[in-house]
């Protein structure tokens, strides 16, 4: 619980400033949040250093919220914390955050967000039903949602997201259970030959998935341990990009023996 919690709302700027130490109370619903009656007036939130987690329902349905400052002291963004914040198009998640709760940003207005490598646990539907996030991939690429994971994709990472495409970077060996579960708009995914295991339900209910771009050979693909309930992945067309590249290079060499 927050010790000596203080919050102040500036009616002129629409800024809510919250300070304290420790974690927010576990609000049982949005109506139990002390500033719930101000939710339509809140445009900016400044969370003070010393707060370690953003509690459940804390900024639920603050539909005019456009700007949020999260300090480096925060490690946990709890369930429904920014649910239905439809005007929130961007947020910086600090590299101290390790857990993002169920529905934390569900139905928000995000059009860009970066998930730092520090995040090791993402609960169900954390980024689901967000129209502005149509692609996902590693940091540095041209993706709406960027992530810094280099070894594994956590369970539930993108469950219920509205992505049309996703790119898994080289080096990742494990795609976690339910990682893309319910991504009903996903049509293509790029998977590197470093992947050795794809968890159960990782691509469950991805009914539009048509193309998988795999930068290994067919033999490499067949050696991946694909756990149960990944029928959409198995029924998609697998494009073996390394073999295509090899065929192309061989054709070029044949035409130009020099």
């Amino acid at each position: 619980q927050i010790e000596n919690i203080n919050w102040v709302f500036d009616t002129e700027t629409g800024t809510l400033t919250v300070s304290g130490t420790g974690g927010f109370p576990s609000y049982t619903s949005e109506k139990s949040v002390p500033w719930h009656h101000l939710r339509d007036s809140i445009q900016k939130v400044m969370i003070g250093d010393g707060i370690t987690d953003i509690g459940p329902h804390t900024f639920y349905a603050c539909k005019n919220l456009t700007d949020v400052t999260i300090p480096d002291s925060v490690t946990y963004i709890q369930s429904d914390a920014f649910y239905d914040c439809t005007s929130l198009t961007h947020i910086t998640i600090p590299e101290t955050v390790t857990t993002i709760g169920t529905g934390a940003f569900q139905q928000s207005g995000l059009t860009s967000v970066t998930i730092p490598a520090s995040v090791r646990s993402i609960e169900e539907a954390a980024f689901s039903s967000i129209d502005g996030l149509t692609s996902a991939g590693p940091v540095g690429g041209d993706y709406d949602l960027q992530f810094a994971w280099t070894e594994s994709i956590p369970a539930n990472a993108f469950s219920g997201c509205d992505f049309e495409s996703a790119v898994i970077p080289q080096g990742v060996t494990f795609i976690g259970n339910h990682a893309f579960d319910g991504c009903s708009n996903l049509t293509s995914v790029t998977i590197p030959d470093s992947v050795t295991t794809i968890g159960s339900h990782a691509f469950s209910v991805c009914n539009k998935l048509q193309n998988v771009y795999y930068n290994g050979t067919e033999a490499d693909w067949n050696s991946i341990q694909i756990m149960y309930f990944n029928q959409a992945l198995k029924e998609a067309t697998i494009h073996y990009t390394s073999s295509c590249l090899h065929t192309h290079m061989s054709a070029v060499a044949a035409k130009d023996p020099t």
Side-chain angles (χ1 to χ4, degrees):
Q1 302 295 306
I2 287 184
E3 300 173 3
N4 302 317
I5 181 173
N6 293 295
W7 64 274
V8 177
F9 181 66
D10 187 328
T11 57
E12 292 186 4
T13 63
T15 301
L16 175 70
T17 302
V18 184
S19 60
T21 56
F24 275 82
S26 295
Y27 301 121
T28 56
S29 73
E30 66 274 15
K31 293 182 180 179
S32 61
V33 178
W35 45 82
H36 175 69
H37 64 291
L38 297 168
R39 66 188 183 282
D40 291 335
S41 301
I42 297 173
Q43 300 176 42
K44 182 177 182 178
V45 168
M46 299 186 67
I47 301 171
D49 190 38
I51 291 178
T52 57
D53 71 72
I54 300 172
H57 307 99
T58 305
F59 304 107
Y60 187 106
C62 290
K63 291 181 178 293
N64 293 310
L65 176 62
T66 61
D67 187 8
V68 177
T69 299
I70 302 176
D72 289 342
S73 56
V74 169
T75 61
Y76 187 9
I77 300 174
Q78 294 200 42
S79 60
D80 296 330
F82 295 97
Y83 180 96
D84 204 25
C85 291
T86 54
S87 296
L88 186 64
T89 59
H90 177 76
I91 192 165
T92 299
I93 300 173
E95 295 183 356
T96 52
V97 171
T98 60
T99 304
I100 299 176
T102 301
F105 296 97
Q106 187 174 1
Q107 290 186 203
S108 68
L110 289 176
T111 58
S112 65
V113 64
T114 298
I115 304 175
S118 59
V119 175
R120 305 311 302 169
S121 175
I122 296 185
E123 297 170 8
E124 185 178 356
F127 294 93
S128 74
S129 303
I130 302 176
D131 294 339
L133 300 180
T134 62
S135 62
V139 170
D142 186 20
Y143 311 108
D144 300 330
L145 186 150
Q146 300 188 21
F147 55 86
W149 301 306
T150 58
E151 298 178 358
S152 64
I153 305 299
N156 301 303
F158 308 120
S159 63
C161 286
D162 286 340
F163 303 145
E164 297 173 3
S165 63
V167 174
I168 310 299
Q170 186 68 33
V172 168
T173 60
F174 178 62
I175 300 174
N177 299 343
H178 300 273
F180 292 91
D181 189 357
C183 291
S184 58
N185 290 322
L186 186 67
T187 61
S188 70
V189 62
T190 299
I191 298 176
D193 61 0
S194 56
V195 168
T196 59
T197 306
I198 297 175
S200 65
H201 299 84
F203 291 92
S204 179
V205 200
C206 294
N207 298 328
K208 292 183 180 179
L209 183 60
Q210 297 177 349
N211 297 296
V212 175
Y213 298 95
Y214 179 68
N215 70 335
T217 65
E218 185 173 0
D220 293 333
W221 175 261
N222 290 332
S223 71
I224 298 174
Q225 184 178 18
I226 302 177
M227 307 301 285
Y228 51 87
F229 296 111
N230 280 301
Q231 199 62 27
L233 182 69
K234 294 177 180 179
E235 293 179 352
T237 300
I238 313 299
H239 303 271
Y240 302 103
T241 56
S242 70
S243 61
C244 291
L245 178 62
H246 176 75
T247 301
H248 172 72
M249 293 304 291
S250 297
V252 171
K255 289 181 180 179
D256 184 9
T258 62

